[in-house]
Amino acid sequence: MPELPEVTTVSQILQEEVQGLKISQAEIFYPKLIRDSTPEEFIKRVKNQRINKVYNQAKYIIFELDTEMMISHLRMEGRWAYEKEANFSYNKIIMEAQFKFHHQETVLRYYDLRRFGTLQLVTKKNFFENNPLDKKIGPAANNPHLTGAWLQEKWNKKHRAVKSLLLDQSIISGIGNIYANEILFAANIHPKTPGNTLTRQQLDLLLTESRRILNEAILHKGTTVRTFSPTVDSHGNYQKFLQVHNRQGKKCPRCYGTIIKIQLGGRGTYFCPNCQPS
DNA sequence: CCTTAGACCTGGAGGC
DNA sequence: TGCCTCCAGGTCTAAG
Protein backbone atom coordinates (compact mmCIF):
# COMPACT_ATOMS: atom_id res chain seq x y z
CA MET A 1 0.00 0.00 0.00
CA PRO A 2 0.51 2.51 1.11
CA GLU A 3 2.69 5.38 1.72
CA LEU A 4 2.73 7.57 4.82
CA PRO A 5 -0.75 9.13 4.35
CA GLU A 6 -2.44 5.76 3.80
CA VAL A 7 -0.59 4.09 6.68
CA THR A 8 -1.46 7.03 8.94
CA THR A 9 -5.13 6.66 7.95
CA VAL A 10 -5.14 2.93 8.59
CA SER A 11 -3.51 3.29 12.00
CA GLN A 12 -5.97 6.03 13.00
CA ILE A 13 -8.87 3.76 12.09
CA LEU A 14 -7.33 0.81 13.93
CA GLN A 15 -6.74 2.99 16.98
CA GLU A 16 -10.49 3.72 17.13
CA GLU A 17 -11.47 0.13 16.48
CA VAL A 18 -9.17 -1.99 18.61
CA GLN A 19 -7.68 0.21 21.32
CA GLY A 20 -8.28 -1.37 24.70
CA LEU A 21 -9.06 -4.86 23.42
CA LYS A 22 -7.26 -7.79 25.03
CA ILE A 23 -5.98 -10.50 22.72
CA SER A 24 -7.27 -13.94 23.68
CA GLN A 25 -5.73 -15.80 20.78
CA ALA A 26 -3.60 -15.14 17.70
CA GLU A 27 -3.44 -17.41 14.65
CA ILE A 28 -0.85 -17.27 11.88
CA PHE A 29 -1.75 -18.89 8.56
CA TYR A 30 1.30 -17.75 6.57
CA PRO A 31 4.45 -18.37 8.64
CA LYS A 32 6.69 -16.11 6.52
CA LEU A 33 4.61 -13.13 7.65
CA ILE A 34 6.40 -13.27 11.01
CA ARG A 35 9.92 -11.82 11.18
CA ASP A 36 12.55 -12.32 13.85
CA SER A 37 10.70 -15.11 15.65
CA THR A 38 8.74 -18.26 14.95
CA PRO A 39 4.96 -18.03 14.62
CA GLU A 40 4.69 -20.17 17.76
CA GLU A 41 6.79 -17.77 19.78
CA PHE A 42 4.89 -14.81 18.32
CA ILE A 43 1.54 -16.31 19.35
CA LYS A 44 2.80 -16.97 22.85
CA ARG A 45 4.16 -13.45 23.27
CA VAL A 46 0.95 -11.62 22.28
CA LYS A 47 -1.51 -13.85 24.14
CA ASN A 48 -3.46 -12.00 26.83
CA GLN A 49 -1.86 -8.67 26.00
CA ARG A 50 -4.01 -5.58 25.66
CA ILE A 51 -3.73 -3.25 22.66
CA ASN A 52 -3.07 0.03 24.43
CA LYS A 53 -2.49 2.21 21.39
CA VAL A 54 -2.09 2.03 17.60
CA TYR A 55 -0.07 4.59 15.70
CA ASN A 56 2.42 4.75 12.85
CA GLN A 57 6.03 5.64 12.23
CA ALA A 58 6.25 6.49 8.51
CA LYS A 59 5.05 3.35 6.71
CA TYR A 60 5.12 1.12 9.81
CA ILE A 61 2.02 0.48 11.92
CA ILE A 62 2.84 0.06 15.60
CA PHE A 63 0.53 -1.73 18.03
CA GLU A 64 1.60 -0.91 21.56
CA LEU A 65 0.73 -3.91 23.74
CA ASP A 66 1.50 -4.42 27.44
CA THR A 67 5.09 -5.60 27.16
CA GLU A 68 5.54 -5.85 23.38
CA MET A 69 5.41 -3.59 20.35
CA MET A 70 3.83 -5.34 17.37
CA ILE A 71 5.12 -3.78 14.16
CA SER A 72 3.30 -4.24 10.85
CA HIS A 73 4.51 -3.28 7.39
CA LEU A 74 1.91 -3.59 4.62
CA ARG A 75 4.37 -3.38 1.71
CA MET A 76 2.25 -3.38 -1.46
CA GLU A 77 -1.01 -5.09 -0.65
CA GLY A 78 -1.32 -5.68 3.09
CA ARG A 79 -4.66 -4.84 4.71
CA TRP A 80 -6.07 -4.94 8.22
CA ALA A 81 -9.77 -5.55 8.76
CA TYR A 82 -11.76 -5.50 12.02
CA GLU A 83 -14.80 -7.55 11.17
CA LYS A 84 -17.40 -10.10 12.30
CA GLU A 85 -15.93 -13.55 12.47
CA ALA A 86 -18.35 -14.88 9.85
CA ASN A 87 -17.69 -12.05 7.38
CA PHE A 88 -14.58 -11.98 5.27
CA SER A 89 -13.85 -8.56 3.79
CA TYR A 90 -11.39 -10.04 1.36
CA ASN A 91 -10.67 -13.48 -0.04
CA LYS A 92 -10.33 -15.91 2.85
CA ILE A 93 -7.41 -17.57 1.11
CA ILE A 94 -5.22 -14.52 1.42
CA MET A 95 -5.84 -14.10 5.16
CA GLU A 96 -2.47 -14.47 6.86
CA ALA A 97 -3.24 -13.74 10.49
CA GLN A 98 -6.21 -13.44 12.83
CA PHE A 99 -6.55 -12.02 16.34
CA LYS A 100 -9.42 -12.87 18.67
CA PHE A 101 -10.26 -10.79 21.74
CA HIS A 102 -11.73 -11.48 25.17
CA HIS A 103 -15.48 -10.75 25.29
CA GLN A 104 -15.60 -9.77 21.60
CA GLU A 105 -17.33 -11.34 18.63
CA THR A 106 -15.34 -9.23 16.21
CA VAL A 107 -11.87 -10.27 15.08
CA LEU A 108 -8.87 -8.45 13.64
CA ARG A 109 -7.51 -9.95 10.44
CA TYR A 110 -4.50 -9.33 8.24
CA TYR A 111 -4.86 -10.01 4.49
CA ASP A 112 -2.10 -9.77 1.93
CA LEU A 113 -2.63 -10.66 -1.72
CA ARG A 114 1.03 -10.51 -2.69
CA ARG A 115 2.36 -11.78 0.64
CA PHE A 116 5.06 -9.13 0.91
CA GLY A 117 3.95 -7.66 4.23
CA THR A 118 5.68 -8.36 7.54
CA LEU A 119 4.75 -8.55 11.21
CA GLN A 120 7.23 -8.60 14.05
CA LEU A 121 7.54 -8.15 17.77
CA VAL A 122 10.02 -6.00 19.62
CA THR A 123 9.91 -5.95 23.42
CA LYS A 124 8.70 -2.62 24.73
CA LYS A 125 11.86 -2.18 26.74
CA ASN A 126 13.99 -2.69 23.66
CA PHE A 127 11.80 -0.42 21.57
CA PHE A 128 11.94 2.53 23.91
CA GLU A 129 15.63 2.17 24.75
CA ASN A 130 16.80 1.50 21.21
CA ASN A 131 14.06 1.73 18.57
CA PRO A 132 15.13 -0.54 15.72
CA LEU A 133 13.09 1.53 13.25
CA ASP A 134 15.19 4.60 14.04
CA LYS A 135 18.26 2.72 12.87
CA LYS A 136 16.60 1.63 9.66
CA ILE A 137 14.68 4.71 8.52
CA GLY A 138 15.24 8.46 8.59
CA PRO A 139 12.81 11.09 9.90
CA ALA A 140 9.33 11.21 8.35
CA ALA A 141 9.02 13.44 5.30
CA ASN A 142 6.30 15.56 6.92
CA ASN A 143 8.41 16.29 9.99
CA PRO A 144 8.21 20.10 10.33
CA HIS A 145 11.75 20.35 11.71
CA LEU A 146 13.52 19.17 8.55
CA THR A 147 15.46 21.90 6.75
CA GLY A 148 17.04 22.30 3.33
CA ALA A 149 20.43 22.66 5.04
CA TRP A 150 19.98 19.28 6.67
CA LEU A 151 18.91 17.64 3.42
CA GLN A 152 21.83 19.19 1.57
CA GLU A 153 24.21 17.60 4.05
CA LYS A 154 22.49 14.21 3.55
CA TRP A 155 22.47 14.40 -0.23
CA ASN A 156 25.66 16.27 -1.06
CA LYS A 157 27.54 13.11 -2.03
CA LYS A 158 24.59 11.42 -3.74
CA HIS A 159 24.79 11.17 -7.48
CA ARG A 160 21.54 9.30 -7.75
CA ALA A 161 18.38 10.65 -9.30
CA VAL A 162 16.41 12.78 -6.86
CA LYS A 163 13.37 10.54 -7.27
CA SER A 164 15.27 7.48 -6.09
CA LEU A 165 16.59 9.52 -3.15
CA LEU A 166 13.03 10.49 -2.16
CA LEU A 167 12.18 6.79 -2.16
CA ASP A 168 15.19 5.88 -0.01
CA GLN A 169 13.63 5.36 3.41
CA SER A 170 16.99 5.38 5.20
CA ILE A 171 17.33 9.13 4.54
CA ILE A 172 13.73 10.42 4.70
CA SER A 173 10.84 8.06 5.37
CA GLY A 174 7.22 7.87 4.28
CA ILE A 175 7.37 8.86 0.61
CA GLY A 176 6.53 6.17 -1.96
CA ASN A 177 6.10 6.16 -5.71
CA ILE A 178 2.87 8.16 -6.02
CA TYR A 179 3.85 10.99 -3.70
CA ALA A 180 7.41 11.12 -5.07
CA ASN A 181 5.92 11.87 -8.49
CA GLU A 182 3.55 14.47 -7.05
CA ILE A 183 6.18 16.19 -4.91
CA LEU A 184 8.65 16.55 -7.79
CA PHE A 185 5.93 18.04 -9.98
CA ALA A 186 4.94 20.50 -7.26
CA ALA A 187 8.58 21.54 -6.88
CA ASN A 188 9.22 21.76 -10.67
CA ILE A 189 12.11 19.32 -10.47
CA HIS A 190 12.96 16.73 -13.13
CA PRO A 191 12.94 13.25 -11.52
CA LYS A 192 16.39 12.38 -12.92
CA THR A 193 18.18 15.39 -11.46
CA PRO A 194 21.19 14.16 -9.44
CA GLY A 195 20.59 14.83 -5.73
CA ASN A 196 23.89 16.63 -5.20
CA THR A 197 23.16 19.21 -7.91
CA LEU A 198 19.99 20.58 -6.31
CA THR A 199 20.21 24.11 -4.97
CA ARG A 200 19.41 24.98 -1.39
CA GLN A 201 16.27 26.71 -2.63
CA GLN A 202 15.12 23.57 -4.44
CA LEU A 203 15.77 21.45 -1.35
CA ASP A 204 13.77 23.86 0.82
CA LEU A 205 10.97 23.72 -1.72
CA LEU A 206 11.08 19.90 -1.89
CA LEU A 207 10.61 19.71 1.87
CA THR A 208 7.81 22.29 1.94
CA GLU A 209 5.96 20.52 -0.85
CA SER A 210 6.50 17.10 0.78
CA ARG A 211 4.95 18.36 3.99
CA ARG A 212 2.09 20.06 2.24
CA ILE A 213 1.21 17.14 -0.02
CA LEU A 214 1.54 14.42 2.62
CA ASN A 215 -0.48 16.38 5.16
CA GLU A 216 -3.21 17.22 2.64
CA ALA A 217 -3.36 13.56 1.64
CA ILE A 218 -3.76 12.57 5.31
CA LEU A 219 -6.72 14.96 5.58
CA HIS A 220 -8.29 13.21 2.58
CA LYS A 221 -7.62 9.78 4.11
CA GLY A 222 -5.02 8.87 1.51
CA THR A 223 -5.16 7.85 -2.12
CA THR A 224 -7.31 4.97 -3.29
CA VAL A 225 -5.59 3.29 -6.23
CA ARG A 226 -6.26 -0.15 -7.54
CA THR A 227 -7.73 -2.07 -4.66
CA PHE A 228 -6.49 -0.36 -1.55
CA SER A 229 -8.90 1.38 0.82
CA PRO A 230 -8.34 2.27 4.45
CA THR A 231 -11.21 -0.05 5.34
CA VAL A 232 -13.57 -2.09 3.25
CA ASP A 233 -16.28 0.53 3.15
CA SER A 234 -14.30 3.71 3.30
CA HIS A 235 -12.11 5.17 0.59
CA GLY A 236 -9.34 7.71 0.53
CA ASN A 237 -10.04 10.68 -1.71
CA TYR A 238 -6.65 12.10 -2.53
CA GLN A 239 -6.63 10.44 -5.97
CA LYS A 240 -8.87 13.35 -7.04
CA PHE A 241 -5.97 15.70 -6.42
CA LEU A 242 -3.21 13.78 -8.21
CA GLN A 243 -1.56 16.04 -10.79
CA VAL A 244 0.75 13.68 -12.67
CA HIS A 245 0.69 10.16 -11.25
CA ASN A 246 -0.82 7.64 -13.65
CA ARG A 247 -1.74 10.48 -16.05
CA GLN A 248 0.63 9.86 -18.97
CA GLY A 249 -0.66 11.34 -22.22
CA LYS A 250 -2.99 13.72 -20.36
CA LYS A 251 -2.71 17.47 -20.07
CA CYS A 252 -0.48 18.99 -17.45
CA PRO A 253 -2.81 20.92 -15.09
CA ARG A 254 -0.32 23.78 -14.96
CA CYS A 255 0.95 24.39 -18.51
CA TYR A 256 -1.39 22.20 -20.58
CA GLY A 257 1.59 20.36 -22.05
CA THR A 258 1.57 16.56 -22.07
CA ILE A 259 2.54 14.41 -19.11
CA ILE A 260 4.92 11.58 -19.94
CA LYS A 261 5.89 8.32 -18.26
CA ILE A 262 9.38 6.89 -18.02
CA GLN A 263 10.97 4.05 -16.04
CA LEU A 264 13.35 5.17 -13.32
CA GLY A 265 14.91 2.63 -11.00
CA GLY A 266 12.29 0.15 -12.13
CA ARG A 267 9.39 2.38 -11.06
CA GLY A 268 6.82 4.14 -13.22
CA THR A 269 7.74 7.83 -13.18
CA TYR A 270 5.32 10.51 -14.35
CA PHE A 271 6.17 14.14 -14.96
CA CYS A 272 5.65 17.18 -17.16
CA PRO A 273 8.80 17.77 -19.26
CA ASN A 274 7.82 21.39 -19.69
CA CYS A 275 7.28 22.23 -15.99
CA GLN A 276 10.09 19.92 -14.84
CA PRO A 277 12.93 20.56 -17.30
CA SER A 278 16.20 18.64 -17.06
C1' DC B 1 31.17 3.34 0.26
C1' DC B 2 27.63 3.87 -3.80
C1' DT B 3 24.42 2.14 -7.15
C1' DT B 4 21.62 -0.90 -9.73
C1' DA B 5 19.43 -5.49 -11.12
C1' DG B 6 16.95 -9.27 -9.24
C1' DA B 7 14.11 -11.43 -5.94
C1' DC B 8 10.07 -11.87 -3.24
C1' DC B 9 4.43 -12.87 -4.65
C1' DT B 10 -0.24 -12.66 -6.99
C1' DG B 11 -3.81 -11.18 -10.15
C1' DG B 12 -5.62 -7.87 -13.53
C1' DA B 13 -5.21 -5.65 -18.09
C1' DG B 14 -4.08 -5.61 -22.74
C1' DG B 15 -2.09 -7.71 -27.09
C1' DC B 16 -2.29 -11.49 -30.37
C1' DT C 1 -11.24 -18.50 -24.70
C1' DG C 2 -6.23 -19.09 -24.11
C1' DC C 3 -1.69 -17.69 -23.65
C1' DC C 4 1.77 -14.29 -23.15
C1' DT C 5 3.86 -10.15 -21.30
C1' DC C 6 3.76 -6.30 -18.48
C1' DC C 7 2.40 -3.85 -14.54
C1' DA C 8 1.22 -2.74 -9.55
C1' DG C 9 1.32 2.71 -3.58
C1' DG C 10 7.84 -1.74 -1.19
C1' DT C 11 12.06 -3.33 0.46
C1' DC C 12 15.93 -6.51 0.89
C1' DT C 13 20.08 -8.81 -1.24
C1' DA C 14 23.67 -9.77 -4.07
C1' DA C 15 26.92 -8.19 -7.17
C1' DG C 16 29.29 -4.78 -9.96
Side-chain angles (χ1 to χ4, degrees), chain A residues 2-277:
Chain A
E3 309 179 32
L4 184 146
E6 292 75 30
V7 175
T8 303
T9 303
V10 171
S11 47
Q12 285 170 352
I13 291 168
L14 285 171
Q15 159 74 8
E16 288 176 18
E17 290 178 333
V18 302
Q19 183 192 33
L21 301 184
K22 189 174 169 184
I23 298 168
S24 58
Q25 185 195 2
E27 295 162 280
I28 306 298
F29 305 108
Y30 185 69
K32 284 167 76 178
L33 169 68
I34 307 300
R35 300 299 158 97
D36 300 334
S37 75
T38 63
E40 294 72 27
E41 193 202 329
F42 177 94
I43 288 166
K44 207 179 293 175
R45 281 168 67 180
V46 301
K47 189 177 170 72
N48 291 323
Q49 298 237 7
R50 195 176 296 280
I51 299 176
N52 295 300
K53 190 175 171 185
V54 187
Y55 62 100
N56 70 302
Q57 181 171 343
K59 299 182 193 174
Y60 292 85
I61 300 172
I62 300 172
F63 296 80
E64 183 179 331
L65 308 181
D66 293 326
T67 65
E68 304 279 351
M69 304 300 264
M70 183 169 84
I71 303 176
S72 159
H73 197 302
L74 307 171
R75 296 289 181 94
M76 298 291 266
E77 296 277 347
R79 295 169 210 174
W80 286 97
Y82 183 60
E83 60 195 10
K84 290 265 158 46
E85 200 166 353
N87 297 347
F88 293 85
S89 302
Y90 303 102
N91 189 337
K92 212 189 233 188
I93 295 162
I94 62 170
M95 178 173 55
E96 294 191 349
Q98 173 170 269
F99 297 82
K100 295 183 178 171
F101 303 102
H102 292 282
H103 318 297
Q104 284 289 323
E105 289 174 20
T106 319
V107 297
L108 179 64
R109 292 182 171 133
Y110 179 75
Y111 297 89
D112 196 339
L113 175 60
R114 291 176 74 183
R115 306 197 180 287
F116 285 164
T118 61
L119 192 60
Q120 63 177 313
L121 292 176
V122 175
T123 65
K124 218 161 165 173
K125 186 173 183 307
N126 235 358
F127 185 88
F128 286 114
E129 285 172 6
N130 195 11
N131 181 345
L133 295 182
D134 289 340
K135 271 182 285 187
K136 190 147 62 173
I137 65 177
N142 60 347
N143 182 326
H145 302 301
L146 302 186
T147 65
W150 172 85
L151 192 56
Q152 193 157 44
E153 194 262 316
K154 291 285 172 191
W155 284 3
N156 70 2
K157 291 205 174 62
K158 306 284 188 188
H159 258 248
R160 285 152 68 198
V162 58
K163 181 169 178 233
S164 109
L165 289 170
L166 285 177
L167 294 175
D168 185 340
Q169 307 295 302
S170 71
I171 308 173
I172 314 175
S173 61
I175 297 173
N177 201 40
I178 292 180
Y179 295 107
N181 287 324
E182 295 299 312
I183 290 163
L184 289 169
F185 174 75
N188 290 304
I189 296 171
H190 191 290
K192 279 189 174 170
T193 315
N196 60 349
T197 65
L198 293 167
T199 65
R200 176 68 142 274
Q201 243 178 354
Q202 286 178 306
L203 295 169
D204 283 331
L205 185 58
L206 263 186
L207 289 174
T208 333
E209 293 301 330
S210 299
R211 260 198 304 275
R212 179 182 67 78
I213 289 175
L214 294 176
N215 289 337
E216 278 176 17
I218 291 170
L219 292 178
H220 291 280
K221 301 191 185 301
T223 301
T224 298
V225 177
R226 287 154 55 74
T227 51
F228 169 76
S229 300
T231 68
V232 181
D233 29 46
S234 90
H235 289 271
N237 284 312
Y238 196 74
Q239 64 275 13
K240 292 177 193 157
F241 302 92
L242 297 179
Q243 310 287 294
V244 290
H245 184 83
N246 210 18
R247 299 191 69 243
Q248 73 273 30
K250 301 201 169 130
K251 294 281 171 235
C252 165
R254 194 186 291 139
C255 75
Y256 303 104
T258 305
I259 294 162
I260 64 168
K261 179 185 184 185
I262 61 171
Q263 287 294 120
L264 204 167
R267 314 298 303 275
T269 301
Y270 306 83
F271 66 104
C272 170
N274 186 40
C275 295
Q276 298 163 264

